[in-house]
Amino acid sequence: MKRIPLKMKRNHLHNIPEFSLPEGFNMRFFKNGEEHLWARVETAVDEFSTEAAALEHFDREFGQFRDEMEKRCIFLETIGGDVIGTTTAWYGKLEGEDKVSGRIHWVGIIPEYQGKKLSKPLLAKAMQVLEEYHDSAYLTSQTTSYQAVNMYLNFGFEPYVTNETDIEAWTLLEEVLNRKIL
């Protein structure tokens, strides 16, 4: 499948779907000094080629905001305390907009735990955190993450279309997901 970047927006943070975690898992917030856990998860989901590269990126993007990360970065872990997933209820400005919005950022669950009904509870928790600070949210993804995009659509995110490439991406996803999107 052609990999095309895309953006999605949710204009409000009301009526966030609720999902419970399956037995044997829990969620907690990042603690300062746990950057290596974030890097391990993001490397396992192929966002980075090495944990060192992931740590460098973490430091550039979040290094000066570690206190905020303790309120916004969520870890998904086994009952034994192994971190197996993460996402961050971050913030930023969506291209073409002046207002700061919440951002679902860096969603990842290590491959061995994918398909175990963990993504929806993790996303729901991140959106609940965003609701505390923001009144709308956005995220970025790509066509090759079509299963995640389908979940985001089901959570009320909508395509954010600004150019012909965006239309190409969403047309492709309509075919792959067999659903009307645009």
Side-chain angles (χ1 to χ4, degrees), residues 21-31 34 37 40-41 74-87 108-110 113 118 122:
L21 279 172
E23 194 171 320
F25 300 94
N26 60 51
M27 286 184 268
R28 66 172 178 83
F29 287 101
F30 165 93
K31 295 180 190 109
E34 294 183 322
L37 297 175
R40 187 176 58 81
V41 171
I74 302 159
F75 281 160
L76 173 62
E77 62 184 9
T78 64
I79 208 77
D82 294 326
V83 173
I84 53 127
T86 185
T87 192
I109 296 175
I110 62 173
Y113 289 91
L118 299 170
L122 183 61

Side-chain angles (χ1 to χ4, degrees), residues 7 23 28 37 48 57 82 100 102 111 118 121 127 171 176-177:
K7 297 170 278 308
E23 194 171 320
R28 66 172 178 83
L37 297 175
F48 300 94
H57 184 90
D82 294 326
V100 171
L118 299 170
M127 290 181 68
T171 301
V176 170
L177 297 174

Side-chain angles (χ1 to χ4, degrees), residues 160-177:
Y160 187 77
V161 178
T162 60
N163 58 49
E164 290 298 317
T165 303
D166 292 339
I167 293 171
E168 178 187 3
W170 290 106
T171 301
L172 175 62
L173 285 169
E174 283 184 334
E175 290 176 30
V176 170
L177 297 174

